[in-house]
Amino acid sequence: KLVSVLICGACGVFARELLDPAGGLLHSILASTGGEAEQMCTLALNKDSFRLGDHARHATLSTLGRSAQGTIAPSVLMDLLDDLWTMHQNDDNGGTIAGGDAILSFVKKYAAN
């Protein structure tokens, strides 16, 4: 449940100041959960709080998976959460700030190479 709270919080719910500590905590949790990490992350990203579409969802899952494998630094996960948070912010009309170009850039940055 904590993994879900941390991921959903990065989707615009948390105060920005909480993102780095949340990223560090998430990195530690994923590294210690082994095979359960993918299922926990998939469940969290299938909630309504994630509004960036399937391509961004897959790129996010890829990065979270690399974190669970210990192949990325905690700072990468912190950057991911910051980018997710930024793209989930709303404009004055209630729409998300993130448009097609922002999502494409996000996918390129975080998709597995």
Side-chain angles (χ1 to χ4, degrees), residues 1-14 18-30 40-41 44-45 47 49 64 77 80-82 84-85:
K1 177 145 171 127
L2 183 55
V3 169
S4 181
V5 169
L6 293 170
I7 292 171
C8 292
C11 294
V13 176
F14 285 163
L18 297 177
L19 296 176
D20 281 351
L25 179 59
L26 183 57
H27 188 273
S28 295
I29 292 169
L30 293 177
M40 291 186 295
C41 294
L45 290 173
K47 295 183 184 251
S49 58
L64 293 169
L77 207 52
L80 171 77
L81 296 188
D82 186 62
L84 283 174
W85 186 89

Side-chain angles (χ1 to χ4, degrees), residues 31-75:
S32 67
T33 57
E36 298 174 23
E38 183 177 356
Q39 181 181 6
M40 291 186 295
C41 294
T42 299
L43 290 172
L45 290 173
N46 283 327
K47 295 183 184 251
D48 290 340
S49 58
F50 189 88
R51 303 182 311 239
L52 303 179
D54 289 338
H55 294 297
R57 180 183 283 88
H58 293 299
T60 302
L61 274 173
S62 174
T63 302
L64 293 169
R66 290 193 308 272
S67 178
Q69 296 166 358
T71 59
I72 61 171
S75 62

Side-chain angles (χ1 to χ4, degrees), residues 68-107:
Q69 296 166 358
T71 59
I72 61 171
S75 62
V76 175
L77 207 52
M78 292 174 191
D79 288 346
L80 171 77
L81 296 188
D82 186 62
D83 288 344
L84 283 174
W85 186 89
T86 299
M87 292 200 311
H88 277 89
Q89 297 308 297
N90 293 329
D91 62 19
D92 293 335
N93 299 320
T96 59
I97 291 174
D101 289 342
I103 291 178
L104 284 175
S105 177
F106 176 88
V107 170

